[in-house]
Amino acid sequence: MADYPETVTELHDWFPDEAACRAYLTRLRWPEGPRCPRCPAAKVWQMTPPSYRCANCGYDFTVTAGTLFADTKLPLRLWFEALWHVVNQKNGVSALGVQRVLGFGSYRTAWRWLHKLRRAMVRPGRDRLAGAVEVDEAYVGGERSGKRGRGAEGKALVFIAAQADGSKIGRIRLARIANASGPVLEQAVCRCVEPGSQVLTDGWKSYAGLEGQGYRHEVIRTTAIVGKNLLPRVHRVASLLQRWLLGTHQGAVAHSHLDYYLDEFTFRFNRRTSRSRGLLFYRLLGQAVALGPILCNELVGGTSPQGIVAGATGA
Ligand SMILES: [Zn+2]
């Protein structure tokens, strides 16, 4: 039997109160029983629930200590509800949507919750793509293509790697990059693609050093225009990303927050064929308890929907 709820009714049955939420997080975080975050090998005593004490260092902790849910003043049930909402919106959610569904008084709270959850969408220590991987860069936040190496005002440059799965797209990786220079692109490839893989690019000179980095490099065609080439998978991903940013977020994504959105897009894209929303909920929750706490000041901005770069106009 699945270890997660499959419907919203089941969600409410599974998690009627805080104790049920904590018990579930405990199973996800410590399948072999509670562990001290400071000395994992030490014996642990159960104190008055939900507290534990480390027999070695005396540290008192709970299941949310050192996770994304640390120091939260609001009930875990509300967090679970938010998570469920996020994984069940196929095209992603906006902070306004979360605020409406959960009845938050403040946009800022909804925004911070959503960005914390986006952080959890990147699995810590996730593996790199392998096999045949198409790689390219694309400008997001504008209709026109930009010239390589020069940058385009108001647009952000995103590195895209798309694994080939037969004629289809397998998994993807995205990363915001500063420019399309050799060192930057080589580093992006190394972070996203397993050495020894076949990397397909266009003839852009910055990719010329990939053989030296241990990749089998195949040049598909020479062109100087970003986003216009014969790499169908990365091209498709670029246009889906562009459409998603314009649709779900009305293009209103500040460059400083773009990383979070790229993480969310990647999470959704790589699981797009998963029919079980419950499984996504389970995965995301598991990643949330594997993640360190996120301090408010680690999340930049988030005060209001105003004052952000309008990607739609490329302004
Ligand atoms: Zn300890």
Side-chain angles (χ1 to χ4, degrees):
M1 209 183 116
D3 193 22
Y4 44 82
E6 291 280 13
T7 63
V8 70
T9 311
E10 283 182 24
L11 177 80
H12 296 147
D13 290 347
W14 276 56
F15 307 112
D17 51 32
E18 291 298 286
C21 295
R22 282 184 187 283
Y24 192 67
L25 289 182
T26 305
R27 280 217 317 277
L28 285 178
R29 186 176 185 188
W30 300 305
E32 276 123 48
R35 293 267 175 276
C36 173
R38 297 176 181 173
C39 24
K43 187 176 159 53
V44 164
W45 290 315
Q46 170 82 65
M47 310 301 280
T48 311
S51 293
Y52 301 97
R53 179 169 293 167
C54 175
N56 181 47
C57 70
Y59 180 54
D60 288 321
F61 59 95
T62 68
V63 68
T64 56
T67 75
L68 185 141
F69 307 112
D71 307 321
T72 185
K73 304 268 189 302
L74 294 160
L76 285 171
R77 283 187 72 207
L78 211 49
W79 272 105
F80 282 30
E81 200 76 47
L83 230 129
W84 187 263
H85 177 64
V86 165
V87 297
N88 276 278
Q89 302 301 307
K90 205 156 181 268
N91 295 316
V93 286
S94 65
L96 277 174
V98 169
Q99 185 186 4
R100 212 172 297 130
V101 166
L102 299 182
F104 281 158
S106 125
Y107 174 84
R108 186 178 165 73
T109 305
W111 189 94
R112 279 183 24 222
W113 274 41
L114 202 49
H115 276 66
K116 282 186 173 192
L117 289 178
R118 288 198 176 102
R119 282 277 298 265
M121 288 179 182
V122 182
R123 185 152 41 93
R126 63 182 174 182
D127 55 346
R128 291 180 283 187
L129 305 181
V133 181
E134 289 181 10
V135 155
D136 201 1
E137 329 92 62
Y139 283 105
V140 297
E143 293 301 320
R144 287 175 304 130
S145 300
K147 270 272 190 239
R148 267 177 167 170
R150 274 204 271 144
E153 292 80 25
K155 293 172 184 166
L157 192 57
V158 174
F159 171 83
I160 302 172
Q163 203 169 24
D165 178 11
S167 62
K168 300 201 195 95
I169 307 172
R171 292 177 306 148
I172 62 163
R173 294 278 182 264
L174 302 175
R176 187 162 57 108
I177 50 175
N179 55 58
S181 70
V184 167
L185 289 176
E186 278 178 26
Q187 196 193 32
V189 170
C190 289
R191 276 214 316 262
C192 300
V193 186
E194 206 64 53
S197 306
Q198 181 187 25
V199 177
L200 299 95
T201 71
D202 58 23
W204 179 237
K205 60 183 190 308
S206 293
Y207 290 112
L210 285 178
E211 289 279 347
Q213 300 287 334
Y215 296 96
R216 288 180 294 129
H217 182 207
E218 189 174 329
V219 177
I220 299 299
R221 201 185 75 170
T222 305
T223 173
I225 308 295
V226 174
K228 301 272 183 245
N229 55 50
L230 293 177
L231 298 162
R233 295 177 187 82
V234 276
H235 200 173
R236 173 99 183 115
V237 172
S239 76
L240 288 172
L241 173 65
Q242 188 81 286
R243 208 185 304 161
W244 182 73
L245 288 171
L246 292 174
T248 306
H249 304 291
Q250 281 84 49
V253 172
H255 286 191
S256 54
H257 303 147
L258 185 61
D259 296 338
Y260 302 120
Y261 294 99
L262 297 182
D263 289 346
E264 178 178 354
F265 184 85
T266 305
F267 179 85
R268 291 183 187 284
F269 189 91
N270 287 347
R271 292 159 185 81
R272 67 198 181 285
T273 55
S274 171
R275 267 169 302 157
S276 169
R277 298 286 118 184
L279 181 58
L280 292 189
F281 171 82
Y282 173 81
R283 288 270 154 76
L284 188 53
L285 205 52
Q287 288 171 205
V289 287
L291 200 75
I294 295 166
L295 305 172
C296 294
N297 55 16
E298 277 186 61
L299 295 174
V300 278
T303 44
S304 77
Q306 276 86 47
I308 43 188
V309 177
T313 59

